[in-house]
Amino acid sequence: MSTPAVREIIEIDEDLCVGCGNCVPSCHQGALQIIDGKARLISDLMCEGIGVCVGTCPTGAMRIERRPAEPYDEIRVMEKIAAAGPNVIKAHLEHLQQHRQDRYLAQALEYLAAHDLPDPLQATDSPGGHPPQGGCPGAAARTLGAAAGSGHPAAGTPAASTASATPAGTAAGASATPAPPVAKTAPGSELRQWPVQLHLLNPAAGYLQHADLLLAADCSAFASGDFHDRFLRGKALAIACPKLDDGQDIYLHKLIRMIEDARINTLTVLIMEVPCCSGLLRMAQAATAQAARKVPVKCIVLSLEGEVIQEDWV
């Protein structure tokens, strides 16, 4: 008999919480906010239970709870969110908007209508109480450039190069639900989303759904003068350093979730010729080996001068 899957998630004891805010910057996913003087988990969907926030709490109000890994249920989440008051409801809806979770946002609004609760997104001012304090702005998920409007490269741009080609037999992925542009990239930039560092990426973000993912070593963009046009065009981006970054078990877990939950189409690993960079390819291969579904993986190796010296589907 197989062991039931378990997920870990943060639980907050409201009686012990003093609203100091120490926990908020430690949440890479922006799932924690201080609202009405207390720490609130505004996104059950985004909380990965890593637990960095637990160690920052001076009163012991936070702990990691282990639960059966059930499918996400927005209505059940709204029952808990609604009990915490209108400010928490608003923060939760805004978080769903920012992460382009349109289906869950629609369910949340249906819950409000069914229970005769006002839609705080339509209000000009927040209800009474202290204004919410968000997480690190640098970790807030955003869709950039042409991808913000259509989910595709801008019309008239050349097709993706061989570095981004999908192998024969691989189906093209459907784009996430379009959303209004929230930012524009500089001329020549092919960056489609923010953030890009793998620790800050959430596998549930809309821009990762059915995406072709480029997993690039930190140094690669500096070595390659045509990084954007040759390697990044049409792809979501994650950057990491297999030698210097801590928490690589978290990286592995995130890549597995991107394959299984976000259902990325392809995974391209861009590394330098130095030996330590090969750890990024091994991580990608381990993720594809452990994931329940399989995706094709391409490895591109750059010389220190930025020239492609190896390019293979592995």
Side-chain angles (χ1 to χ4, degrees), residues 118-138:
D119 175 2
L121 297 181
Q122 302 300 323
T124 56
D125 298 305
S126 295
H130 301 288
Q133 300 174 20
C136 172

Side-chain angles (χ1 to χ4, degrees), residues 37-312:
K38 299 288 183 179
R40 312 283 187 175
L41 179 63
I42 63 163
S43 179
D44 187 288
L45 179 65
M46 298 299 182
C47 178
E48 296 181 330
I50 295 172
V52 177
C53 55
V54 175
T56 67
C57 180
T59 64
M62 311 188 78
R63 63 183 178 86
I64 298 176
E65 181 179 280
R66 294 171 61 86
R67 303 177 185 170
E70 300 175 346
Y72 180 78
D73 186 337
E74 176 63 28
I75 300 303
R76 184 181 301 175
V77 170
M78 277 300 298
E79 291 173 352
K80 185 174 182 179
I81 289 290
N87 284 336
V88 181
I89 294 174
K90 182 180 181 185
H92 175 66
L93 298 184
E94 289 175 341
H95 202 267
L96 290 175
Q97 272 190 329
Q98 292 165 4
H99 289 80
R100 299 180 65 188
Q101 297 296 332
D102 298 335
R103 179 163 63 93
Y104 296 137
L105 178 60
Q107 292 174 3
L109 295 175
E110 289 174 2
Y111 176 92
L112 294 179
H115 292 79
D116 295 323
L117 295 172
D119 175 2
L121 297 181
Q122 302 300 323
T124 56
D125 298 305
S126 295
H130 301 288
Q133 300 174 20
C136 172
R142 301 181 185 180
T143 302
L144 306 177
S150 66
H152 300 284
T157 55
S161 68
T162 54
S164 62
T166 301
T170 301
S175 300
T177 303
V182 293
K184 292 184 178 180
T185 50
S189 174
E190 294 294 335
L191 187 62
R192 298 160 61 89
Q193 101 274 341
W194 185 266
V196 297
Q197 212 287 332
L198 187 51
H199 268 310
L200 300 180
L201 288 179
N202 192 294
Y207 50 71
L208 289 173
Q209 303 299 313
H210 304 284
D212 294 306
L213 178 66
L214 176 64
L215 177 61
D218 289 353
C219 302
S220 61
F222 295 95
S224 173
D226 57 354
F227 172 84
H228 282 256
D229 186 62
R230 185 169 189 181
F231 304 117
L232 184 55
R233 183 185 296 275
K235 292 185 175 68
L237 176 65
I239 64 170
C241 177
K243 181 176 182 179
L244 300 179
D245 293 354
D246 294 327
Q248 295 192 28
D249 55 331
I250 299 173
Y251 282 173
L252 178 61
H253 174 69
K254 287 196 173 193
L255 289 174
I256 293 172
R257 285 191 57 197
M258 290 176 190
I259 295 170
E260 293 183 343
D261 300 340
R263 304 188 70 81
I264 59 172
N265 291 325
T266 61
L267 176 56
T268 300
V269 183
L270 181 64
I271 58 177
M272 304 298 298
E273 64 177 326
V274 293
C276 58
C277 245
S278 62
L280 204 59
L281 175 60
R282 290 194 296 272
M283 186 188 305
Q285 290 175 315
T288 57
Q290 295 179 37
R293 63 183 290 268
K294 304 304 174 188
V295 296
V297 178
K298 173 181 276 191
C299 179
I300 304 173
V301 182
L302 299 181
S303 69
L304 300 184
E305 293 78 22
E307 298 297 325
V308 174
I309 58 177
Q310 182 181 339
E311 182 174 346
D312 297 294

